[in-house]
Amino acid sequence: MPITFRDVSFTYAAKTPFSYEALKGINLQIDEGDFVAIVGRTGCGKSTLIQHMNALLNPSQGCVEIDDFHNDSDKKKRTKKVKPLRQKVGMVFQFPEYQLFEETVEKDVAFAPKNFGMKPEEALQKAHEALGEVGLDESFYTRSPFELSGGEKRRVAIAGILAASPEFLVVDEPTAGLDPKGAETMMDLFRSIHEKGTTIILVTHDMDLVLKYCNKVIVIDDGEVAEITTPDHLFDVDVERYSLQSPLLFSFASSLLKGGLAIERDQVSDVPSLAKEIARCIR
Amino acid sequence: MKNFALGKYVPFDSLVHRVDPRVKIFATIALLVAIFLPQETYSMTFLVEGVLFLLALTLLFISHVRFRDILLSLRSLWFLVIFLLVIYIVVPKKENVLGIAWNLNGWIVYWDAFAEAGKIVLRLVTMIMVTMVLTATTKPLDLTYALEWYMTPLKVVRFPAAEVAMTVSIALRFIPTLLEDASRVMKAQASRGVDFEHGRLWQKITGLTALIIPLFVSSFLRSEELANAMECRGYDPRKKRTRYRTFRLHVRDVLGLLLVAAILAGVIVLLAMHIDLFALWGIHAL
Ligand SMILES: Nc1ncnc2c1ncn2[C@@H]1O[C@H](COP(=O)(O)OP(=O)(O)OP(=O)(O)O)[C@@H](O)[C@H]1O
Ligand SMILES: [Mg+2]
């Protein structure tokens, strides 16, 4: 079941001197099985947009449909029960490490599944699975979440969402502040979750990640949808306009192409795949 | 959570906004004194209070405070009105001058009960409105600087005026940040299935710990960072500081001071000389 935005507008602090229209007439659809990137300059409304996907924000105008859940600007048309939706659409915030509060890591991770109605033992079981998925072993189970490193905290927080087995996983800049290796591990984690059938919605400023992992890109500019395209077409349009920068890899591949090497650019997503393409052409 | 009607700054560039914050603090205190000075008769009380009420209302109007916000901040007074009425009806005063409102089988209620309750309510309403003028038209930071100015003489007795002002202004500065943090953590926990509105009591309590603990953690982190940042920039509480904001009195400030002083003086004169304006006009009022 897709997530569909129909003419969604959102205004912060409506009817006050501080009112600010963060989203203006958004129309888009995210299909099941997608690995979507949402990109755009700082303050363009990405975080505001994704919070409509699990009804943390309600549109000022228009409607967001997720399965049979209607997040409508009209209160009467809005679906009342939000809990099933929040289980279905898991949301990992920017710097999720600030939401940890339990005494032990396993308890914190089991918090969400318990809230969504799982029995305590079952939730703990889920928590252990999720911790395994994010690469934290048994030695972490009974440690306090506050004594972990920043990267580990973030993995615990992500496990805390994964443990509720969402169908959609929305992540807001998960790699911000991580070292390159850590960022890659994190992204590989999302890829493996994606391969198990979860739809991933990724907000990021890192175009290399978009090129490497995503099959669809939504460019937001000043609260409006500027482009919906695929990563290998994105950098053909003038992305600097949106304060985005083509990945070096992509520019390199484009130059090769221009120089007469018949590589297939949509096959290029990272360094190994580029090397493979070059090897194929010069063979 | 962000709707404090009382004490909310209303960004606008009105005449009242431009008045020096020190003058506004003084004027507020002077008006509060005028409001709470007792007059001798009911008619004089209501006359004086009525004039002050109208003055406060005019000032709020000039300051562009929305009528809805005024009503919102007065909303909680309803309870008090009823409470006061009950008290004055059940425990009547010894001397009643306004006559009997009703007499039910020996249960006598005088009009005085209503007048007394009305007097107090009118005073409270005016008081709230006067303080609202101050908070709605003065940025919290300006308020603390003005307070610091008033506390400066206390430095003689080693009172840390500058530090107190700095602490207060930091605390004020971080209220919105704290609210923002709270709403961010609430959203994160709502995504993890916490229902802050519905749900059973026990769930609400765990929901609350899930909110408060992260808030504490981030506040401590933040205060530590702030302290470090201040030290890195050479903040030393014992040093004398120059300031970016300098206060200078303008004509409007002086006029404002004179107006308020005249009002206070007038009220005091009425009281001290036992003047009953109604009697002067030849009206016999109680
Ligand atoms: N609680 C709020 N109240 C008022 N305005 C807000 C609020 N939150 C965000 N905004 C404004 O809405 C706009 C969009 O904010 P949003 O957080 O969605 O941006 P973003 O695209 O996620 O940016 P970033 O890349 O920095 O995370 C910004 O201009 C911001 O100033
Ligand atoms: Mg954001």
Side-chain angles (χ1 to χ4, degrees):
Chain A
M1 279 290 180
I3 296 181
T4 314
F5 280 65
R6 294 186 206 283
D7 270 319
V8 173
S9 299
F10 181 79
T11 308
Y12 278 108
K15 292 185 207 142
T16 71
F18 305 103
S19 88
Y20 179 83
E21 196 177 16
L23 296 180
K24 303 162 191 164
I26 300 273
N27 277 299
L28 58 85
Q29 180 169 334
I30 291 163
D31 293 310
E32 226 169 316
D34 271 344
F35 198 130
V36 195
I38 297 179
V39 300
R41 79 181 83 220
T42 288
C44 67
K46 305 180 292 294
S47 302
T48 310
L49 178 78
I50 58 171
Q51 286 174 41
H52 283 79
M53 295 178 185
N54 72 350
L56 288 173
L57 293 177
N58 303 118
S60 311
Q61 245 163 54
C63 179
V64 185
E65 284 164 27
I66 311 105
D67 279 5
D68 47 357
F69 189 97
H70 288 246
N71 185 6
D72 202 294
S73 57
D74 185 351
K75 253 192 189 157
K76 287 189 207 93
K77 290 195 216 152
R78 202 179 294 161
T79 314
K80 292 284 170 321
K81 283 212 156 114
V82 291
K83 256 197 189 181
L85 173 73
R86 298 215 168 125
Q87 178 183 0
K88 194 174 296 179
V89 183
M91 175 109 26
V92 181
F93 281 85
Q94 235 162 326
F95 303 109
E97 43 273 33
Y98 291 119
Q99 69 196 42
L100 306 174
F101 73 101
E102 286 276 17
E103 301 134 57
T104 65
V105 166
E106 60 179 4
K107 265 194 187 170
D108 204 283
V109 175
F111 183 61
K114 260 199 305 207
N115 280 330
F116 291 125
M118 248 182 239
K119 288 196 196 69
E121 315 84 63
E122 217 179 326
L124 214 56
Q125 172 72 25
K126 271 278 177 198
H128 292 164
E129 275 171 35
L131 282 167
E133 266 183 282
V134 299
L136 297 175
D137 58 28
E138 282 139 50
S139 64
F140 283 93
Y141 290 179
T142 52
R143 286 174 67 179
S144 156
F146 296 108
E147 62 182 37
L148 304 179
S149 81
E152 288 162 348
K153 276 187 196 166
R154 192 169 301 181
R155 281 195 258 170
V156 171
I158 291 173
I161 298 294
L162 290 181
S165 340
E167 291 169 33
F168 293 84
L169 182 66
V170 187
V171 278
D172 199 346
E173 297 187 34
T175 57
L178 294 186
D179 63 89
K181 189 79 197 140
E184 201 179 321
T185 323
M186 180 75 65
M187 287 308 299
D188 287 339
L189 162 69
F190 292 135
R191 176 182 272 170
S192 77
I193 296 166
H194 178 241
E195 276 161 4
K196 285 180 200 149
T198 309
T199 308
I200 309 267
I201 297 145
L202 168 76
V203 174
T204 186
H205 289 288
D206 189 341
M207 292 307 125
D208 291 316
L209 299 184
V210 176
L211 188 64
K212 185 164 174 193
Y213 294 95
C214 302
N215 70 337
K216 189 167 159 185
V217 195
I218 298 170
V219 184
I220 307 287
D221 191 37
D222 197 16
E224 292 176 70
V225 175
E227 311 271 348
I228 299 183
T229 173
T230 54
D232 55 302
H233 280 106
L234 172 66
F235 305 107
D236 281 338
V237 300
D238 175 21
V239 289
E240 312 246 314
R241 191 152 45 117
Y242 311 122
S243 296
L244 305 177
Q245 203 174 23
S246 296
L248 271 181
L249 190 76
F250 185 86
S251 316
F252 184 54
S254 298
S255 305
L256 286 178
L257 198 61
K258 226 185 270 165
L261 202 62
I263 58 172
E264 286 189 33
R265 214 177 47 192
D266 55 350
Q267 295 296 321
V268 177
S269 64
D270 50 9
V271 176
S273 58
L274 176 63
K276 216 154 86 192
E277 272 302 297
I278 297 175
R280 188 182 59 79
C281 291
I282 58 178
R283 189 169 296 140
Chain B
M1 202 177 234
K2 286 184 182 164
N3 299 328
F4 304 115
L6 182 70
K8 197 167 66 177
Y9 178 69
V10 178
F12 201 83
D13 191 24
S14 77
L15 178 67
V16 189
H17 283 76
R18 284 192 296 258
V19 171
D20 189 303
R22 292 170 302 173
V23 173
K24 277 191 273 192
I25 289 184
F26 174 82
T28 306
I29 294 171
L31 286 179
L32 289 183
V33 172
I35 290 167
F36 281 96
L37 277 180
Q39 296 291 335
E40 289 192 335
T41 60
Y42 283 122
S43 50
M44 279 308 291
T45 309
F46 280 105
L47 179 71
V48 171
E49 297 297 335
V51 168
L52 290 171
F53 173 82
L54 287 181
L55 177 74
L57 199 62
T58 318
L59 286 175
L60 282 177
F61 184 71
I62 298 174
S63 318
H64 284 253
V65 177
R66 282 182 314 165
F67 197 62
R68 224 188 95 228
D69 284 342
I70 305 178
L71 289 184
L72 270 181
S73 62
L74 297 178
R75 192 175 48 182
S76 46
L77 279 182
W78 276 119
F79 179 73
L80 195 70
V81 173
I82 304 212
F83 182 72
L84 281 174
L85 264 182
V86 170
I87 292 283
Y88 278 114
I89 287 174
V90 174
V91 192
K93 289 203 309 175
K94 292 214 181 63
E95 303 155 23
N96 291 288
V97 291
L98 294 181
I100 293 173
W102 67 71
N103 182 348
L104 283 178
N105 297 333
W107 181 46
I108 301 171
V109 172
Y110 297 93
W111 283 115
D112 295 58
F114 295 94
E116 281 296 330
K119 210 160 83 179
I120 294 185
V121 170
L122 185 58
R123 277 182 174 156
L124 286 178
V125 166
T126 317
M127 176 189 88
I128 288 177
M129 282 166 53
V130 166
T131 38
M132 216 174 157
V133 173
L134 178 69
T135 52
T137 63
T138 322
K139 291 195 192 97
L141 271 185
D142 284 336
L143 264 184
T144 50
Y145 287 130
L147 281 177
E148 185 187 349
W149 185 85
Y150 278 108
M151 290 188 297
T152 326
L154 292 178
K155 275 186 183 154
V156 185
V157 290
R158 302 206 150 224
F159 181 78
E163 285 95 312
V164 169
M166 175 65 85
T167 313
V168 172
S169 59
I170 288 176
L172 286 174
R173 157 67 187 76
F174 276 96
I175 289 174
T177 314
L178 198 66
L179 287 178
E180 221 167 82
D181 272 2
S183 105
R184 205 188 57 214
V185 175
M186 269 169 98
K187 278 178 179 171
Q189 306 300 25
S191 297
R192 296 213 274 168
V194 177
D195 197 338
F196 286 102
E197 278 148 43
H198 316 97
R200 270 169 277 147
L201 183 68
W202 178 244
Q203 287 171 326
K204 273 191 197 165
I205 292 172
T206 43
L208 220 53
T209 49
L211 169 65
I212 287 171
I213 293 177
L215 269 187
F216 263 105
V217 171
S218 67
S219 303
F220 278 122
L221 283 178
R222 192 166 272 136
S223 67
E224 208 167 310
E225 271 169 22
L226 182 71
N228 286 340
M230 283 169 75
E231 260 171 53
C232 287
R233 291 199 244 166
Y235 176 74
D236 179 352
R238 281 173 296 276
K239 288 270 164 58
K240 185 168 166 46
R241 294 161 57 77
T242 57
R243 56 180 62 258
Y244 168 68
R245 266 168 250 245
T246 49
F247 294 129
R248 197 172 299 134
L249 289 186
H250 294 269
V251 177
R252 55 167 177 268
D253 301 322
V254 177
L255 287 181
L257 268 182
L258 287 180
L259 176 71
V260 171
I263 291 174
L264 183 58
V267 173
I268 291 176
V269 166
L270 287 180
L271 177 67
M273 316 258 301
H274 307 285
I275 298 172
D276 187 340
L277 291 176
F278 293 93
L280 289 182
W281 291 327
I283 306 167
H284 178 69
L286 293 163

